[in-house]
Amino acid sequence: SGINAEYGSSGINAEYGALKVDRPLQTIFDAAYPAPVIKHVTKDEEARAVGLKDQGNELMKQNKYEEAIEKYGQAIAITPNPIFYCNRAAAYSKVQRHTDAVGDAKEALKLDPNYSKAYARMGFAYLNMNQFKDAEEAYAAACRLDPANQNYKDNLDAVREKINAGPTNPLATGGMAGMPPGMPPGMPNLAGMDFSQILNNPAFMNMAQQFMQDPNMQAAFSSMAEQFLGAGGVAAPQPGQMPEDMDINAMMNNPALRQMAENFEAQNPEMMAQLRNQFRPPPGDGGGDPPSS
């Protein structure tokens, strides 16, 4: 009676009457949050998608990565499949499109959260972007899902070594002043180089002194300096830019450089083995293994 006295029964009815709906709540919810449309794929369409994926795999073997990316994309357009995304992630990494590789690996994991190879592809892409913590997490997930895979274990160990070593190499933390942050296509990835260890090696420093004293080397370095600093009225490149006419292949094939390197290797085989190990990528990169069938 107190409620009726304060509000009046007609007031309550009027207030709640405004909340009355003319449809069941489930109908309203379904209209606001429709279920995703599941595309029905016929057997012929599925076979065509698998065929496109197989074509992409063959193109990967031929190092035709851009064409492989296109084939995998066509397969995905027919039917999203974790294998298709994972294979395209591998192709993206081959052309240094590591951000796209991470995106495809994540799409693969949406479709199959237990797909260890997708985590490995992601780890490889993060590693090449020097995002070592993210790479560690991805490889750790791959190891949890496939603990018998030695390839994943080796890569996880390699990433953790980089993390523990810290930023000893300026190229691993954004590049050196006046030098491009990424090396030209075809050049080795120097992000994992331990330059402090190399420069403290007496044999290496002796080789460097020989380089600087050799007249042929002086001429070679003079030519390199002209390309970097500009010559004949050509403006010098801005910091972080590679000169457009920089002929890396000519530099690497310079007879004087090659002769000095051969002499040094003959005299210091252990030092050359160390240098090769520094340039060599981690065993079983996790992104370079063959595409999934």
Side-chain angles (χ1 to χ4, degrees):
S1 60
I3 293 177
N4 289 337
E6 184 175 354
Y7 294 101
S9 59
S10 60
I12 295 176
N13 291 336
E15 180 180 354
Y16 285 93
L19 299 177
K20 184 179 179 180
V21 294
D22 58 356
R23 293 178 295 169
L25 290 179
Q26 185 64 49
T27 303
I28 296 173
F29 182 84
D30 291 342
Y33 302 98
V37 177
I38 300 176
K39 180 183 177 183
H40 177 68
V41 179
T42 66
K43 290 185 178 180
D44 288 343
E45 289 175 324
E46 184 175 355
R48 180 167 174 265
V50 171
L52 288 165
K53 180 264 298 179
D54 291 341
Q55 291 178 39
N57 291 355
E58 288 301 317
L59 290 166
M60 288 285 286
K61 295 177 184 177
Q62 300 170 32
N63 300 329
K64 297 179 180 179
Y65 305 124
E66 294 289 356
E67 295 177 38
I69 289 170
E70 183 177 353
K71 292 298 181 182
Y72 293 139
Q74 292 172 1
I76 291 170
I78 296 174
T79 175
N81 181 295
I83 292 177
F84 302 166
Y85 277 114
C86 198
N87 287 6
R88 192 170 67 174
Y92 277 141
S93 283
K94 289 292 188 181
V95 294
Q96 310 304 312
R97 291 172 60 179
H98 300 299
T99 300
D100 290 327
V102 169
D104 267 9
K106 289 181 176 180
E107 290 298 323
L109 290 168
K110 288 179 183 178
L111 297 169
D112 183 358
N114 296 318
Y115 195 7
S116 61
K117 182 174 283 190
Y119 277 112
R121 301 288 192 209
M122 188 187 302
F124 180 69
Y126 278 135
L127 176 62
N128 278 272
M129 294 189 289
N130 296 330
Q131 296 177 221
F132 299 135
K133 281 292 186 182
D134 291 327
E136 180 187 27
E137 292 178 5
Y139 279 127
C143 288
R144 284 195 299 270
L145 292 168
D146 189 0
N149 192 309
Q150 188 62 43
N151 183 27
Y152 299 165
K153 294 178 183 179
D154 291 342
N155 280 283
L156 179 59
D157 290 342
V159 170
R160 285 174 173 167
E161 286 180 8
K162 290 179 181 293
I163 293 173
N164 294 333
T168 57
N169 172 16
L171 288 177
T173 55
M176 301 164 70
M179 291 292 289
M183 296 300 289
M187 293 291 287
N189 181 358
L190 303 184
M193 289 286 287
D194 186 354
F195 281 102
S196 60
Q197 182 180 6
I198 294 173
L199 295 177
N200 287 329
N201 187 296
F204 182 83
M205 295 308 296
N206 182 57
M207 181 185 71
Q209 291 177 1
Q210 293 179 39
F211 273 12
M212 299 311 297
Q213 293 171 2
D214 187 279
N216 293 327
M217 292 307 305
Q218 292 176 9
F221 280 113
S222 176
S223 175
M224 290 166 58
E226 287 183 0
Q227 292 192 55
F228 269 110
L229 301 178
V234 179
Q238 296 297 317
Q241 292 182 345
M242 179 68 74
E244 293 183 1
D245 58 349
M246 189 73 171
D247 192 345
I248 296 294
N249 289 329
M251 289 166 52
M252 300 303 294
N253 291 320
N254 184 286
L257 278 170
R258 296 179 66 87
Q259 184 62 48
M260 290 291 289
E262 290 172 2
N263 292 341
F264 178 78
E265 181 171 14
Q267 298 171 13
N268 304 277
E270 293 183 1
M271 178 61 182
M272 287 302 297
Q274 178 187 348
L275 288 171
R276 287 195 178 95
N277 287 334
Q278 289 285 344
F279 278 99
R280 187 178 294 121
D285 55 30
D289 48 338
S292 303
S293 300

mmCIF file of all heavy atoms in Angstrom, residues 101-122:
data_model
loop_
_atom_site.group_PDB
_atom_site.id
_atom_site.type_symbol
_atom_site.label_atom_id
_atom_site.label_comp_id
_atom_site.label_asym_id
_atom_site.label_seq_id
_atom_site.Cartn_x
_atom_site.Cartn_y
_atom_site.Cartn_z
ATOM 1 N N ALA A 101 53.778 -12.066 -42.852
ATOM 2 C CA ALA A 101 53.946 -13.463 -42.421
ATOM 3 C C ALA A 101 53.337 -13.673 -41.034
ATOM 4 O O ALA A 101 52.662 -14.675 -40.791
ATOM 5 C CB ALA A 101 55.420 -13.837 -42.421
ATOM 6 N N VAL A 102 53.564 -12.719 -40.143
ATOM 7 C CA VAL A 102 52.965 -12.816 -38.808
ATOM 8 C C VAL A 102 51.442 -12.811 -38.911
ATOM 9 O O VAL A 102 50.750 -13.594 -38.248
ATOM 10 C CB VAL A 102 53.448 -11.658 -37.904
ATOM 11 C CG1 VAL A 102 52.633 -11.597 -36.620
ATOM 12 C CG2 VAL A 102 54.924 -11.821 -37.581
ATOM 13 N N GLY A 103 50.911 -11.937 -39.760
ATOM 14 C CA GLY A 103 49.458 -11.869 -39.932
ATOM 15 C C GLY A 103 48.870 -13.173 -40.421
ATOM 16 O O GLY A 103 47.833 -13.630 -39.910
ATOM 17 N N ASP A 104 49.529 -13.808 -41.389
ATOM 18 C CA ASP A 104 49.020 -15.077 -41.910
ATOM 19 C C ASP A 104 49.153 -16.191 -40.871
ATOM 20 O O ASP A 104 48.284 -17.079 -40.783
ATOM 21 C CB ASP A 104 49.763 -15.454 -43.191
ATOM 22 C CG ASP A 104 49.032 -14.964 -44.435
ATOM 23 O OD1 ASP A 104 48.055 -14.202 -44.293
ATOM 24 O OD2 ASP A 104 49.433 -15.341 -45.552
ATOM 25 N N ALA A 105 50.229 -16.166 -40.092
ATOM 26 C CA ALA A 105 50.385 -17.181 -39.050
ATOM 27 C C ALA A 105 49.268 -17.057 -38.021
ATOM 28 O O ALA A 105 48.727 -18.065 -37.548
ATOM 29 C CB ALA A 105 51.751 -17.035 -38.378
ATOM 30 N N LYS A 106 48.890 -15.832 -37.699
ATOM 31 C CA LYS A 106 47.799 -15.617 -36.741
ATOM 32 C C LYS A 106 46.467 -16.094 -37.318
ATOM 33 O O LYS A 106 45.635 -16.654 -36.593
ATOM 34 C CB LYS A 106 47.719 -14.139 -36.355
ATOM 35 C CG LYS A 106 48.880 -13.683 -35.485
ATOM 36 C CD LYS A 106 48.753 -12.212 -35.103
ATOM 37 C CE LYS A 106 49.879 -11.789 -34.158
ATOM 38 N NZ LYS A 106 49.784 -10.362 -33.778
ATOM 39 N N GLU A 107 46.261 -15.856 -38.610
ATOM 40 C CA GLU A 107 45.027 -16.346 -39.247
ATOM 41 C C GLU A 107 44.987 -17.869 -39.215
ATOM 42 O O GLU A 107 43.923 -18.465 -38.989
ATOM 43 C CB GLU A 107 44.951 -15.844 -40.691
ATOM 44 C CG GLU A 107 44.697 -14.351 -40.838
ATOM 45 C CD GLU A 107 43.362 -13.935 -40.234
ATOM 46 O OE1 GLU A 107 42.384 -14.705 -40.351
ATOM 47 O OE2 GLU A 107 43.299 -12.835 -39.651
ATOM 48 N N ALA A 108 46.115 -18.505 -39.447
ATOM 49 C CA ALA A 108 46.168 -19.970 -39.384
ATOM 50 C C ALA A 108 45.816 -20.467 -37.989
ATOM 51 O O ALA A 108 45.094 -21.465 -37.837
ATOM 52 C CB ALA A 108 47.563 -20.450 -39.789
ATOM 53 N N LEU A 109 46.296 -19.753 -36.970
ATOM 54 C CA LEU A 109 46.029 -20.176 -35.595
ATOM 55 C C LEU A 109 44.586 -19.931 -35.178
ATOM 56 O O LEU A 109 44.071 -20.610 -34.292
ATOM 57 C CB LEU A 109 46.990 -19.457 -34.648
ATOM 58 C CG LEU A 109 48.449 -19.924 -34.765
ATOM 59 C CD1 LEU A 109 49.382 -18.984 -34.037
ATOM 60 C CD2 LEU A 109 48.583 -21.348 -34.229
ATOM 61 N N LYS A 110 43.926 -18.968 -35.804
ATOM 62 C CA LYS A 110 42.497 -18.788 -35.549
ATOM 63 C C LYS A 110 41.717 -20.017 -36.000
ATOM 64 O O LYS A 110 40.741 -20.424 -35.363
ATOM 65 C CB LYS A 110 41.972 -17.549 -36.280
ATOM 66 C CG LYS A 110 42.433 -16.222 -35.695
ATOM 67 C CD LYS A 110 41.867 -15.069 -36.509
ATOM 68 C CE LYS A 110 42.351 -13.711 -36.006
ATOM 69 N NZ LYS A 110 41.837 -12.599 -36.835
ATOM 70 N N LEU A 111 42.165 -20.597 -37.102
ATOM 71 C CA LEU A 111 41.486 -21.763 -37.652
ATOM 72 C C LEU A 111 41.917 -23.055 -36.962
ATOM 73 O O LEU A 111 41.142 -24.004 -36.879
ATOM 74 C CB LEU A 111 41.766 -21.861 -39.154
ATOM 75 C CG LEU A 111 41.232 -20.687 -39.999
ATOM 76 C CD1 LEU A 111 41.800 -20.749 -41.419
ATOM 77 C CD2 LEU A 111 39.713 -20.699 -40.042
ATOM 78 N N ASP A 112 43.171 -23.077 -36.490
ATOM 79 C CA ASP A 112 43.690 -24.262 -35.803
ATOM 80 C C ASP A 112 44.643 -23.798 -34.706
ATOM 81 O O ASP A 112 45.845 -23.624 -34.947
ATOM 82 C CB ASP A 112 44.417 -25.178 -36.793
ATOM 83 C CG ASP A 112 44.900 -26.465 -36.126
ATOM 84 O OD1 ASP A 112 44.706 -26.619 -34.911
ATOM 85 O OD2 ASP A 112 45.480 -27.316 -36.843
ATOM 86 N N PRO A 113 44.141 -23.592 -33.491
ATOM 87 C CA PRO A 113 44.982 -23.077 -32.393
ATOM 88 C C PRO A 113 46.126 -24.008 -32.002
ATOM 89 O O PRO A 113 47.042 -23.576 -31.297
ATOM 90 C CB PRO A 113 43.988 -22.923 -31.230
ATOM 91 C CG PRO A 113 42.639 -22.861 -31.870
ATOM 92 C CD PRO A 113 42.736 -23.738 -33.083
ATOM 93 N N ASN A 114 46.093 -25.253 -32.432
ATOM 94 C CA ASN A 114 47.132 -26.210 -32.074
ATOM 95 C C ASN A 114 48.115 -26.479 -33.214
ATOM 96 O O ASN A 114 48.814 -27.496 -33.220
ATOM 97 C CB ASN A 114 46.495 -27.530 -31.629
ATOM 98 C CG ASN A 114 45.676 -27.380 -30.365
ATOM 99 O OD1 ASN A 114 46.091 -26.688 -29.434
ATOM 100 N ND2 ASN A 114 44.517 -28.007 -30.334
ATOM 101 N N TYR A 115 48.180 -25.561 -34.161
ATOM 102 C CA TYR A 115 49.029 -25.728 -35.339
ATOM 103 C C TYR A 115 50.439 -25.238 -34.993
ATOM 104 O O TYR A 115 50.738 -24.048 -35.070
ATOM 105 C CB TYR A 115 48.434 -24.942 -36.502
ATOM 106 C CG TYR A 115 48.980 -25.281 -37.869
ATOM 107 C CD1 TYR A 115 49.856 -26.331 -38.089
ATOM 108 C CD2 TYR A 115 48.582 -24.526 -38.977
ATOM 109 C CE1 TYR A 115 50.325 -26.635 -39.332
ATOM 110 C CE2 TYR A 115 49.051 -24.819 -40.245
ATOM 111 C CZ TYR A 115 49.924 -25.875 -40.416
ATOM 112 O OH TYR A 115 50.400 -26.172 -41.671
ATOM 113 N N SER A 116 51.318 -26.159 -34.638
ATOM 114 C CA SER A 116 52.658 -25.788 -34.167
ATOM 115 C C SER A 116 53.469 -25.076 -35.244
ATOM 116 O O SER A 116 54.227 -24.147 -34.953
ATOM 117 C CB SER A 116 53.405 -27.042 -33.695
ATOM 118 O OG SER A 116 53.555 -27.973 -34.747
ATOM 119 N N LYS A 117 53.327 -25.504 -36.495
ATOM 120 C CA LYS A 117 54.126 -24.892 -37.556
ATOM 121 C C LYS A 117 53.766 -23.416 -37.738
ATOM 122 O O LYS A 117 54.633 -22.599 -38.088
ATOM 123 C CB LYS A 117 53.950 -25.651 -38.873
ATOM 124 C CG LYS A 117 54.803 -25.096 -40.006
ATOM 125 C CD LYS A 117 54.742 -25.932 -41.266
ATOM 126 C CE LYS A 117 55.593 -27.168 -41.131
ATOM 127 N NZ LYS A 117 55.741 -27.882 -42.431
ATOM 128 N N ALA A 118 52.509 -23.053 -37.495
ATOM 129 C CA ALA A 118 52.128 -21.648 -37.604
ATOM 130 C C ALA A 118 52.871 -20.812 -36.562
ATOM 131 O O ALA A 118 53.313 -19.694 -36.845
ATOM 132 C CB ALA A 118 50.617 -21.497 -37.440
ATOM 133 N N TYR A 119 53.018 -21.351 -35.352
ATOM 134 C CA TYR A 119 53.797 -20.642 -34.333
ATOM 135 C C TYR A 119 55.255 -20.530 -34.759
ATOM 136 O O TYR A 119 55.915 -19.505 -34.506
ATOM 137 C CB TYR A 119 53.691 -21.374 -32.996
ATOM 138 C CG TYR A 119 52.450 -21.044 -32.209
ATOM 139 C CD1 TYR A 119 51.456 -21.997 -32.012
ATOM 140 C CD2 TYR A 119 52.273 -19.772 -31.654
ATOM 141 C CE1 TYR A 119 50.307 -21.698 -31.278
ATOM 142 C CE2 TYR A 119 51.130 -19.468 -30.931
ATOM 143 C CZ TYR A 119 50.157 -20.434 -30.737
ATOM 144 O OH TYR A 119 49.023 -20.129 -30.015
ATOM 145 N N ALA A 120 55.783 -21.584 -35.403
ATOM 146 C CA ALA A 120 57.173 -21.535 -35.860
ATOM 147 C C ALA A 120 57.352 -20.488 -36.948
ATOM 148 O O ALA A 120 58.349 -19.760 -36.960
ATOM 149 C CB ALA A 120 57.599 -22.910 -36.372
ATOM 150 N N ARG A 121 56.390 -20.408 -37.875
ATOM 151 C CA ARG A 121 56.456 -19.369 -38.914
ATOM 152 C C ARG A 121 56.440 -17.984 -38.266
ATOM 153 O O ARG A 121 57.176 -17.077 -38.666
ATOM 154 C CB ARG A 121 55.263 -19.480 -39.857
ATOM 155 C CG ARG A 121 55.105 -20.799 -40.589
ATOM 156 C CD ARG A 121 56.132 -21.000 -41.670
ATOM 157 N NE ARG A 121 55.787 -22.121 -42.515
ATOM 158 C CZ ARG A 121 56.661 -22.876 -43.154
ATOM 159 N NH1 ARG A 121 57.947 -22.626 -43.036
ATOM 160 N NH2 ARG A 121 56.262 -23.883 -43.914
ATOM 161 N N MET A 122 55.599 -17.819 -37.270
ATOM 162 C CA MET A 122 55.505 -16.540 -36.581
ATOM 163 C C MET A 122 56.820 -16.203 -35.874
ATOM 164 O O MET A 122 57.305 -15.066 -35.928
ATOM 165 C CB MET A 122 54.356 -16.581 -35.568
ATOM 166 C CG MET A 122 54.047 -15.236 -34.936
ATOM 167 S SD MET A 122 52.822 -15.385 -33.605
ATOM 168 C CE MET A 122 51.444 -16.133 -34.476
#
